[in-house]
Amino acid sequence: MLAITARALFTPLEKIEQPLVLVDGDKIVRISSRFSAEIPAGAKHIDFEDSFFAPGLIDLHVHGAMGYDLMQDDAAGAAAFEKFLVRHGVTSYYPTTVTASLGDTLRALERLGRSVEQAETRTQDSRACPLGIHLEGPFLSHLRRGVHPPDRLLTPTLDTFNRFWQASQGKIKIMTIAPELPGALEVITEAVKLGVCVSLGHSDATLEQTKAGIAAGGCHATHTFNAMRPLGHRDPGIVGEVLSNVSVTADIIADGVHLHPSIVRVFLRAKGVERTVLVTDATSATGMPDGRYMLGSLEVEVRDGKCLHDGKLAGSVLTLDQAVRNAMKFAGIDLQQALRLATLNAARAVKTSQGVLQEGSTADLAVLAPSGEIRATIARGAIAD
Ligand SMILES: [Zn+2]
């Protein structure tokens, strides 16, 4: 039994002052105020003093870090990547594919599906766990593809989607799709039936096309503003609908590069702290010095915090704990609100039970300084500094 104490705990919707959290194996068995409960005899007590506890962070959109790209079959690279995530407070993530050939995509989905399955039985190894796959591409708009290779983009069909679904062993939990593509609405309907969070993105959709995608079951938006038809005051398009529709949650890359800080503030005003999700879109260059790295089959160059391919932004070098601190600074929200965007809101978007601290939940906790710096992370009950 592990007993941990700190200055306060964010569930994240509620704040508990002077919390005492009891962890048994990989589960939280009790959360209370330290003044109303005793530390059980024989429990190992660690006092994190003036730190805050929050649920472990959850990244819905990440391609790699520490030189490892998730499209690569490299077990040692994957382990180093998952340890890197934990150092940044991330205990769960959704490995995100990049558009590639059909064969490469199927092979990546098979391998990532297996890793999700294996992670379900992993305990106390202080690494971040993959909870499900994010399929980003190939059902993307040519006009808004970003750096996804144009010759590999596909028109959505049920047949292709079902091949992806089978290869992943049903582990695709998020799919980014442009709703205006022919066949997209049928694929969205099918994916939603299978429990996939359909996220609209890499899209040139008009307002009406976006509404049709949402009516078919789309409920989230991928890196809002980036790789989207721009918001026009006489042509609101996908961004206009995403910002104003209360049934849709949406994510942003708050690195100060993909969006101007004032746009992060506008976004938070529109979507509120209830419907905003922070993601990284981090590439293999994250955590590494400036230089050349891979994103799927593309070479990207990193200079001064920008990750570029052919002069276009190609993912980020952002970590999720930095995104939390940036959201506080850019949008003027407090630590508790900012943490909600990277924990509970992310979990709700993909309908997982993680992302909240309560009795019976998995012992995934981030331990933060009042400034939002990560001091320690507890992953499946194991402490990683
Ligand atoms: Zn991406």
Side-chain angles (χ1 to χ4, degrees):
M1 178 90 73
L2 177 66
I4 51 173
T5 48
R7 173 171 147 191
L9 175 149
F10 301 124
T11 64
L13 294 184
E14 280 164 42
K15 183 178 184 182
I16 298 171
E17 301 282 354
Q18 300 293 323
L20 165 64
V21 180
L22 301 183
V23 174
D24 193 11
D26 63 350
K27 291 274 182 261
I28 291 175
V29 291
R30 194 184 161 115
I31 297 178
S32 58
S33 158
R34 68 202 290 181
F35 303 117
S36 64
E38 293 282 310
I39 296 171
K44 180 182 173 192
H45 178 211
I46 302 174
D47 182 18
F48 287 97
E49 299 172 347
D50 69 336
S51 302
F52 293 91
F53 292 145
L57 310 186
I58 303 172
D59 198 346
L60 301 184
H61 192 148
V62 57
H63 297 284
M66 295 300 281
Y68 170 67
D69 181 277
L70 281 156
M71 295 296 279
Q72 293 164 3
D73 185 1
D74 171 4
F81 160 71
E82 290 179 346
K83 289 200 175 222
F84 175 82
L85 291 184
V86 158
R87 288 203 293 279
H88 291 277
V90 176
T91 51
S92 302
Y93 71 101
Y94 287 74
T96 306
T97 60
V98 181
T99 305
S101 72
L102 197 57
D104 284 351
T105 303
L106 291 169
R107 272 188 293 279
L109 290 172
E110 268 173 39
R111 176 176 49 77
L112 293 171
R114 272 197 308 276
S115 75
V116 171
E117 185 155 12
Q118 286 160 5
E120 285 163 7
T121 55
R122 249 201 243 162
T123 50
Q124 299 198 293
D125 62 357
S126 59
R127 282 159 56 181
C129 272
L131 295 187
I133 301 168
H134 181 163
L135 180 73
E136 190 186 23
F139 304 141
L140 311 179
S141 160
H142 274 269
L143 286 170
R144 305 290 172 197
R145 66 183 175 83
V147 298
H148 288 253
D151 51 332
R152 301 300 189 190
L153 297 178
L154 294 176
T155 300
T157 64
L158 279 182
D159 184 55
T160 311
F161 173 76
N162 284 328
R163 288 181 70 184
F164 291 150
W165 180 256
Q166 298 297 334
S168 78
Q169 302 123 75
K171 300 298 184 195
I172 296 170
K173 297 293 178 197
I174 315 173
M175 174 174 66
T176 295
I177 184 167
E180 72 277 19
L181 298 179
L185 299 182
E186 209 184 354
V187 169
I188 290 173
T189 306
E190 177 67 12
V192 169
K193 234 186 264 169
L194 293 167
V196 177
C197 162
V198 171
S199 187
L200 309 180
H202 282 279
S203 163
D204 196 48
T206 62
L207 190 74
E208 285 67 31
Q209 288 168 330
T210 309
K211 285 179 191 282
I214 293 166
C219 61
H220 190 71
T222 297
H223 44 53
T224 311
F225 295 103
N226 296 118
M228 279 183 182
R229 181 191 193 89
L231 177 71
H233 56 288
R234 280 187 291 272
D235 176 19
I238 179 169
V239 173
E241 185 62 16
V242 166
L243 290 184
S244 59
N245 189 323
V246 292
S247 69
V248 174
T249 55
D251 63 58
I252 50 169
I253 308 169
D255 62 351
V257 173
H258 282 76
L259 301 176
H260 190 281
S262 67
I263 293 295
V264 174
R265 182 179 282 266
V266 167
F267 182 86
L268 257 299
R269 285 283 168 91
K271 297 310 291 177
V273 292
E274 300 84 12
R275 294 175 192 86
T276 297
V277 177
L278 298 175
V279 296
T280 63
D281 201 3
T283 64
S284 64
T286 308
M288 303 292 281
D290 284 2
R292 293 179 176 277
Y293 299 92
M294 298 309 284
L295 171 61
S297 59
L298 306 174
E299 194 178 64
V300 297
E301 192 182 353
V302 175
R303 236 179 308 122
D304 307 325
K306 281 189 188 170
C307 192
L308 299 167
H309 173 80
D310 260 355
K312 282 185 184 174
L313 280 176
S316 81
V317 290
L318 180 64
T319 57
L320 202 51
D321 59 325
Q322 184 65 52
V324 166
R325 294 190 293 274
N326 289 348
M328 291 166 69
K329 191 164 111 196
F330 297 167
I333 57 177
D334 64 25
L335 179 62
Q336 182 176 0
Q337 291 172 318
L339 284 165
R340 175 178 175 171
L341 314 183
T343 58
L344 181 65
N345 289 7
R348 282 184 175 169
V350 291
K351 300 182 183 68
T352 167
S353 61
Q354 316 279 341
V356 60
L357 294 179
Q358 59 192 16
E359 289 172 10
S361 65
T362 306
D364 284 343
L365 294 95
V367 182
L368 301 109
S371 59
E373 303 286 334
I374 300 291
R375 286 179 170 163
T377 303
I378 299 171
R380 289 3 173 220
I383 300 179
D385 293 312

